[in-house]
Amino acid sequence: MLLEQEREGLAAAGRRLAAGGLVIGTSGNLSARAGDLVAVTPTGGVIGELTPAMMTVLDLEGQVVEGDLAPTSEVPMHLAVYRATGAGAITHTHAVASTAIACTLEEIPVVHYAMLALGGSVRVAPYATYGTAELAAHVVTALEGRQAALLRNHGSIALGPTVEKAVGNLELTEWAAELYARCLALGTPHLLGRQAQEDVVARALADGYGTTRKL
Ligand SMILES: [Zn+2]
């Protein structure tokens, strides 16, 4: 079986996203790249119950190389993001807080320094019908310099060098969306200015933020 490790990673990612409430039923799709091949979740599959054998392997033009099930309808979006970035994996769901922001606002501004792991503010890509090349192009633009984006009236997308990182970035996006929504309910949130953001990046680079280390 091709891309065995990636298939297992996608199945585990589906379970984790379902357990965390970021995906309900079949509403999302995941992929992982290895060289010139991409493993993707099948269309119509319950994301939290997928097995490695249910994944479909495609080449970068979208031709099926291995698999019995039709791939996700969002293949154009996944392939466009792989062509435009060095991503190793992509996660997309309709997580509720992220989708609420995507239905209402233009971005999640930098209200918390943890968002800098996503590259800063999270943009909302303009609306287009799911599965289209038009949506794929909008998403690629919104992802420029970022690890995540929102899709107008649709959901969220994140990427990363590994499936685990792409899942983590989707979770971080959902957390930021929920945080920002609560901020707006309380009043007008303070945002982190450019200098404050630069100071955080400099400090995180110096001390390896987000990694454990020995005393
Ligand atoms: Zn979707």
Side-chain angles (χ1 to χ4, degrees), residues 74 92 94 154:
E74 294 291 8
H92 160 66
H94 307 162
H154 183 157

Side-chain angles (χ1 to χ4, degrees), residues 123-182:
R123 306 182 188 105
V124 178
Y127 183 80
T129 308
Y130 80 92
T132 60
E134 190 186 3
L135 177 62
H138 289 329
V139 167
V140 166
T141 302
L143 279 170
E144 211 177 309
R146 300 290 190 275
Q147 299 293 305
L150 303 182
L151 286 61
R152 174 74 77 210
N153 296 97
H154 183 157
S156 57
I157 186 170
L159 48 86
T162 63
V163 177
E164 291 74 20
K165 292 271 188 199
V167 170
N169 284 335
L170 198 74
E171 291 169 341
L172 180 55
T173 302
E174 177 67 3
W175 171 82
E178 174 67 29
L179 175 68
Y180 186 50
R182 290 197 194 191

